[in-house]
mmCIF file of all heavy atoms in Angstrom:
data_model
loop_
_atom_site.group_PDB
_atom_site.id
_atom_site.type_symbol
_atom_site.label_atom_id
_atom_site.label_comp_id
_atom_site.label_asym_id
_atom_site.label_seq_id
_atom_site.Cartn_x
_atom_site.Cartn_y
_atom_site.Cartn_z
ATOM 1 N N ASN O 62 -22.170 -3.754 34.486
ATOM 2 C CA ASN O 62 -20.952 -3.469 33.703
ATOM 3 C C ASN O 62 -20.281 -4.754 33.230
ATOM 4 O O ASN O 62 -19.751 -4.819 32.118
ATOM 5 C CB ASN O 62 -19.979 -2.627 34.538
ATOM 6 C CG ASN O 62 -20.492 -1.222 34.776
ATOM 7 O OD1 ASN O 62 -21.262 -0.693 33.973
ATOM 8 N ND2 ASN O 62 -20.077 -0.602 35.878
ATOM 9 N N LYS O 63 -20.261 -5.781 34.105
ATOM 10 C CA LYS O 63 -19.670 -7.053 33.713
ATOM 11 C C LYS O 63 -20.434 -7.681 32.551
ATOM 12 O O LYS O 63 -19.845 -8.200 31.597
ATOM 13 C CB LYS O 63 -19.656 -8.016 34.902
ATOM 14 C CG LYS O 63 -18.637 -7.659 35.972
ATOM 15 C CD LYS O 63 -18.681 -8.656 37.125
ATOM 16 C CE LYS O 63 -17.665 -8.301 38.194
ATOM 17 N NZ LYS O 63 -17.742 -9.233 39.355
ATOM 18 N N LEU O 64 -21.774 -7.617 32.625
ATOM 19 C CA LEU O 64 -22.596 -8.169 31.550
ATOM 20 C C LEU O 64 -22.426 -7.365 30.262
ATOM 21 O O LEU O 64 -22.398 -7.939 29.163
ATOM 22 C CB LEU O 64 -24.071 -8.181 31.967
ATOM 23 C CG LEU O 64 -24.457 -9.164 33.072
ATOM 24 C CD1 LEU O 64 -25.918 -8.982 33.470
ATOM 25 C CD2 LEU O 64 -24.225 -10.605 32.614
ATOM 26 N N ALA O 65 -22.303 -6.035 30.397
ATOM 27 C CA ALA O 65 -22.108 -5.187 29.215
ATOM 28 C C ALA O 65 -20.762 -5.491 28.560
ATOM 29 O O ALA O 65 -20.657 -5.570 27.332
ATOM 30 C CB ALA O 65 -22.185 -3.717 29.618
ATOM 31 N N GLY O 66 -19.714 -5.676 29.388
ATOM 32 C CA GLY O 66 -18.393 -6.015 28.844
ATOM 33 C C GLY O 66 -18.395 -7.373 28.176
ATOM 34 O O GLY O 66 -17.791 -7.561 27.102
ATOM 35 N N LYS O 67 -19.073 -8.330 28.789
ATOM 36 C CA LYS O 67 -19.179 -9.673 28.214
ATOM 37 C C LYS O 67 -19.908 -9.629 26.876
ATOM 38 O O LYS O 67 -19.506 -10.292 25.903
ATOM 39 C CB LYS O 67 -19.920 -10.591 29.172
ATOM 40 C CG LYS O 67 -20.072 -12.020 28.680
ATOM 41 C CD LYS O 67 -20.827 -12.864 29.709
ATOM 42 C CE LYS O 67 -21.010 -14.289 29.199
ATOM 43 N NZ LYS O 67 -21.769 -15.112 30.185
ATOM 44 N N ASN O 68 -20.973 -8.830 26.805
ATOM 45 C CA ASN O 68 -21.740 -8.703 25.561
ATOM 46 C C ASN O 68 -20.907 -8.050 24.461
ATOM 47 O O ASN O 68 -20.957 -8.465 23.296
ATOM 48 C CB ASN O 68 -22.991 -7.877 25.825
ATOM 49 C CG ASN O 68 -23.916 -7.821 24.617
ATOM 50 O OD1 ASN O 68 -24.479 -8.820 24.211
ATOM 51 N ND2 ASN O 68 -24.064 -6.631 24.042
ATOM 52 N N LYS O 69 -20.086 -7.044 24.840
ATOM 53 C CA LYS O 69 -19.234 -6.373 23.850
ATOM 54 C C LYS O 69 -18.173 -7.331 23.311
ATOM 55 O O LYS O 69 -17.899 -7.354 22.105
ATOM 56 C CB LYS O 69 -18.559 -5.147 24.464
ATOM 57 C CG LYS O 69 -17.741 -4.333 23.469
ATOM 58 C CD LYS O 69 -17.141 -3.108 24.116
ATOM 59 C CE LYS O 69 -16.417 -2.249 23.074
ATOM 60 N NZ LYS O 69 -15.401 -2.979 22.316
ATOM 61 N N ARG O 70 -17.567 -8.117 24.201
ATOM 62 C CA ARG O 70 -16.564 -9.092 23.754
ATOM 63 C C ARG O 70 -17.182 -10.121 22.813
ATOM 64 O O ARG O 70 -16.557 -10.544 21.841
ATOM 65 C CB ARG O 70 -15.936 -9.786 24.963
ATOM 66 C CG ARG O 70 -15.014 -8.892 25.779
ATOM 67 C CD ARG O 70 -14.211 -9.686 26.778
ATOM 68 N NE ARG O 70 -15.058 -10.322 27.776
ATOM 69 C CZ ARG O 70 -15.443 -9.751 28.915
ATOM 70 N NH1 ARG O 70 -15.055 -8.503 29.199
ATOM 71 N NH2 ARG O 70 -16.191 -10.400 29.774
ATOM 72 N N LYS O 71 -18.413 -10.512 23.100
ATOM 73 C CA LYS O 71 -19.114 -11.469 22.251
ATOM 74 C C LYS O 71 -19.363 -10.886 20.861
ATOM 75 O O LYS O 71 -19.149 -11.541 19.836
ATOM 76 C CB LYS O 71 -20.444 -11.871 22.894
ATOM 77 C CG LYS O 71 -21.236 -12.892 22.088
ATOM 78 C CD LYS O 71 -22.543 -13.229 22.781
ATOM 79 C CE LYS O 71 -23.355 -14.225 21.952
ATOM 80 N NZ LYS O 71 -24.655 -14.538 22.618
ATOM 81 N N ILE O 72 -19.795 -9.616 20.837
ATOM 82 C CA ILE O 72 -20.062 -8.946 19.558
ATOM 83 C C ILE O 72 -18.770 -8.769 18.763
ATOM 84 O O ILE O 72 -18.724 -9.008 17.549
ATOM 85 C CB ILE O 72 -20.743 -7.580 19.790
ATOM 86 C CG1 ILE O 72 -22.143 -7.784 20.371
ATOM 87 C CG2 ILE O 72 -20.817 -6.790 18.495
ATOM 88 C CD1 ILE O 72 -22.844 -6.493 20.742
ATOM 89 N N ASP O 73 -17.690 -8.362 19.464
ATOM 90 C CA ASP O 73 -16.388 -8.171 18.794
ATOM 91 C C ASP O 73 -15.890 -9.487 18.187
ATOM 92 O O ASP O 73 -15.341 -9.504 17.077
ATOM 93 C CB ASP O 73 -15.360 -7.633 19.787
ATOM 94 C CG ASP O 73 -15.659 -6.202 20.206
ATOM 95 O OD1 ASP O 73 -16.443 -5.537 19.508
ATOM 96 O OD2 ASP O 73 -15.109 -5.756 21.236
ATOM 97 N N LYS O 74 -16.085 -10.577 18.926
ATOM 98 C CA LYS O 74 -15.631 -11.885 18.441
ATOM 99 C C LYS O 74 -16.427 -12.305 17.212
ATOM 100 O O LYS O 74 -15.862 -12.824 16.237
ATOM 101 C CB LYS O 74 -15.783 -12.927 19.547
ATOM 102 C CG LYS O 74 -15.228 -14.288 19.168
ATOM 103 C CD LYS O 74 -15.308 -15.263 20.320
ATOM 104 C CE LYS O 74 -14.722 -16.615 19.915
ATOM 105 N NZ LYS O 74 -14.788 -17.591 21.046
ATOM 106 N N GLU O 75 -17.744 -12.072 17.247
ATOM 107 C CA GLU O 75 -18.586 -12.416 16.098
ATOM 108 C C GLU O 75 -18.190 -11.590 14.872
ATOM 109 O O GLU O 75 -18.137 -12.104 13.751
ATOM 110 C CB GLU O 75 -20.057 -12.183 16.444
ATOM 111 C CG GLU O 75 -20.624 -13.173 17.456
ATOM 112 C CD GLU O 75 -22.059 -12.846 17.832
ATOM 113 O OE1 GLU O 75 -22.534 -11.746 17.457
ATOM 114 O OE2 GLU O 75 -22.686 -13.675 18.498
ATOM 115 N N GLU O 76 -17.895 -10.297 15.093
ATOM 116 C CA GLU O 76 -17.476 -9.435 13.983
ATOM 117 C C GLU O 76 -16.136 -9.895 13.408
ATOM 118 O O GLU O 76 -15.934 -9.881 12.190
ATOM 119 C CB GLU O 76 -17.372 -7.990 14.458
ATOM 120 C CG GLU O 76 -18.720 -7.342 14.753
ATOM 121 C CD GLU O 76 -18.579 -5.922 15.252
ATOM 122 O OE1 GLU O 76 -17.426 -5.521 15.557
ATOM 123 O OE2 GLU O 76 -19.604 -5.216 15.347
ATOM 124 N N GLU O 77 -15.229 -10.320 14.290
ATOM 125 C CA GLU O 77 -13.928 -10.804 13.842
ATOM 126 C C GLU O 77 -14.066 -12.088 13.022
ATOM 127 O O GLU O 77 -13.416 -12.250 11.982
ATOM 128 C CB GLU O 77 -13.027 -11.066 15.053
ATOM 129 C CG GLU O 77 -11.620 -11.520 14.687
ATOM 130 C CD GLU O 77 -10.760 -11.777 15.909
ATOM 131 O OE1 GLU O 77 -11.221 -11.491 17.028
ATOM 132 O OE2 GLU O 77 -9.628 -12.275 15.747
ATOM 133 N N VAL O 78 -14.938 -13.000 13.496
ATOM 134 C CA VAL O 78 -15.180 -14.256 12.773
ATOM 135 C C VAL O 78 -15.799 -13.970 11.417
ATOM 136 O O VAL O 78 -15.406 -14.557 10.399
ATOM 137 C CB VAL O 78 -16.086 -15.186 13.596
ATOM 138 C CG1 VAL O 78 -16.526 -16.386 12.756
ATOM 139 C CG2 VAL O 78 -15.357 -15.678 14.840
ATOM 140 N N ASN O 79 -16.772 -13.045 11.383
ATOM 141 C CA ASN O 79 -17.429 -12.699 10.122
ATOM 142 C C ASN O 79 -16.460 -12.048 9.141
ATOM 143 O O ASN O 79 -16.485 -12.332 7.940
ATOM 144 C CB ASN O 79 -18.607 -11.757 10.384
ATOM 145 C CG ASN O 79 -19.753 -12.429 11.118
ATOM 146 O OD1 ASN O 79 -19.901 -13.655 11.042
ATOM 147 N ND2 ASN O 79 -20.545 -11.666 11.829
#
Side-chain angles (χ1 to χ4, degrees):
N62 291 333
K63 288 180 180 177
L64 291 175
K67 181 180 179 181
N68 186 66
K69 184 178 184 305
R70 289 192 296 272
K71 181 181 178 181
I72 293 175
D73 291 343
K74 185 176 181 180
E75 290 176 350
E76 289 179 350
E77 182 180 354
V78 171
N79 292 335

